[in-house]
Amino acid sequence: MSDNSGVERPGGRSRRGVLKAAVAGAGAVAAVGAGASAAHADTRRRGAPVFVLVHGSGSNSYGWSPVLRELGLRGHRAIAVDLPGHGPGAYFPLGYQAPQDLERLATEPSPIGAVTLADFTAHVVEAVRAAHRNGPVVLVGQSLGGVTLNAVANQVPELISHLVYASAFCPTRHRSVLELMTTPEAASSALFRIPGFKTPPELGVNRVNWRSADPVFYAEVKDALAADWSDAQVRALLNILEPDESAAIGAADARGLPDRWGRVPRTYLRFGEDRAVPPALQDLMIREADETTPRNRFHVRSLAAPHVGPQDPAVWADELERVARTCA
């Protein structure tokens, strides 16, 4: 298979196919099981860390709700951002609605096709500036959200006390998510097995039909994101995900710059049961980041979790509290 330029990619995968696999469904945080819908957890302890949480592909701030609730109950301050084109600003194609019109869905434009990594970065930088007025900022990103962490830290390293990558993409030697997903370490990613939903390249979107009735699609999505979850939990998760992500995000140069991003202490939450971003790929990103800034290496915490992360929000909060103690 080749991309629109006719260039063959490793393993017979096209550039467009690899990019879709890299971002399609790779952004959900465990949002099932806590029964919370809070978007903001707050206390008034000036000087205590403020957590700023960034979602991944096709997700939104709601995905962080269980974690926000747990942090709030423990007395921490935290906000979860909706990246441009997500959350209240998300566009749901008419062909995606019930009853679905798959022919229309294949060609219907989406505003998010014009959104760039620079847009994501500017949005999160604004949130970080606001949070920094109240205390040290711990910036957390899951999955595709990691590229936004890199870009924000490149711009305002002085405003960030710690970066936390939760099985998240962290390009340093490889320029983009797309390049990382063509490495041998990514070859086993279950994302490549998810039946794709083809759209014209000019739409600029990677589209996933989370409402598909195809049992093969459902089985592959569950295996990629949350193999150990119940069917009820997985279906609840799919119903909060958004169908479109900007194709520009995975293709953008998101390398962390040694003299900017490389100044910020960082932690990698390594998910050992992740089948979307395999442990081998996580290890590659950790190793390359450490080689880029050998005097500021990742603190690595390994968790027995699938791509969406631990089901228990207390596990998330425990890990973030460990980071917070380093910022005190």
Side-chain angles (χ1 to χ4, degrees):
M1 186 184 298
S2 63
D3 62 18
N4 295 324
S5 66
V7 177
E8 189 75 15
R9 296 289 165 175
R13 295 168 294 187
S14 71
R15 180 181 188 277
R16 182 166 171 77
V18 169
L19 183 55
K20 280 194 172 186
V23 300
V29 174
V32 179
S37 59
H40 182 201
D42 190 15
T43 63
R44 301 301 179 194
R45 295 179 298 130
R46 291 190 62 83
V50 183
F51 298 98
V52 178
L53 312 179
V54 180
H55 62 78
S57 173
S59 192
N60 46 61
S61 64
Y62 181 77
W64 286 108
S65 293
V67 180
L68 287 170
R69 178 179 182 272
E70 183 67 22
L71 289 171
L73 290 173
R74 297 185 184 198
H76 298 290
R77 297 176 294 184
I79 60 170
V81 300
D82 282 301
L83 294 171
H86 294 272
Y91 178 79
F92 290 83
L94 292 178
Y96 185 69
Q97 310 301 330
Q100 288 198 319
D101 183 342
L102 297 184
E103 185 175 346
R104 177 172 185 165
L105 185 59
T107 59
E108 187 173 345
S110 172
I112 203 171
V115 175
T116 67
L117 180 57
D119 297 321
F120 279 14
T121 305
H123 185 78
V124 177
V125 165
E126 182 179 356
V128 166
R129 289 191 188 280
H132 186 261
R133 291 195 287 269
N134 296 289
V137 172
V138 176
L139 184 60
V140 184
Q142 200 266 347
S143 191
L144 190 64
V147 301
T148 301
L149 263 62
N150 277 21
V152 172
N154 282 342
Q155 283 201 15
V156 290
E158 70 280 1
L159 300 183
I160 305 169
S161 291
H162 208 101
L163 294 165
V164 179
Y165 294 77
S167 196
F169 288 99
C170 181
T172 51
R173 298 295 176 88
H174 292 82
R175 69 182 298 276
S176 66
V177 172
L178 173 61
E179 287 192 3
L180 285 166
M181 290 298 288
T182 62
T183 62
E185 289 80 1
S188 66
S189 173
L191 294 175
F192 292 123
R193 300 197 302 271
I194 296 176
F197 194 89
K198 294 183 179 179
T199 57
E202 57 267 23
L203 294 187
V205 300
N206 292 311
R207 182 164 287 166
V208 182
N209 184 10
W210 302 115
R211 296 174 181 170
S212 172
D214 180 1
V216 174
F217 171 85
Y218 173 80
E220 295 293 2
V221 167
K222 180 177 180 179
D223 184 63
L225 302 184
D228 61 342
W229 286 25
S230 70
D231 286 342
Q233 289 174 312
V234 172
R235 291 192 182 101
L237 170 65
L238 298 186
N239 275 287
I240 70 165
L241 296 180
E242 300 164 4
D244 291 342
E245 185 58 80
S246 170
I249 308 305
D253 187 339
R255 287 173 289 185
L257 302 178
D259 60 339
R260 305 288 292 172
W261 160 88
R263 291 159 41 190
V264 184
R266 58 182 186 262
T267 290
Y268 201 98
L269 299 183
R270 181 184 181 276
F271 294 169
E273 298 175 6
D274 193 337
R275 299 177 186 176
V277 181
L281 179 57
Q282 297 176 58
D283 292 341
L284 173 68
M285 293 186 287
I286 293 167
R287 183 170 64 252
E288 291 186 341
D290 289 349
E291 291 170 351
T292 300
T293 56
R295 295 185 178 181
N296 181 25
R297 302 168 66 86
F298 264 117
H299 302 277
V300 180
R301 296 282 302 175
S302 293
L303 304 176
H307 185 68
V308 293
Q311 289 194 51
D312 186 353
V315 176
W316 283 98
D318 287 346
E319 295 301 328
L320 295 180
E321 282 187 330
R322 286 189 178 92
V323 171
R325 287 195 287 271
T326 71
C327 301

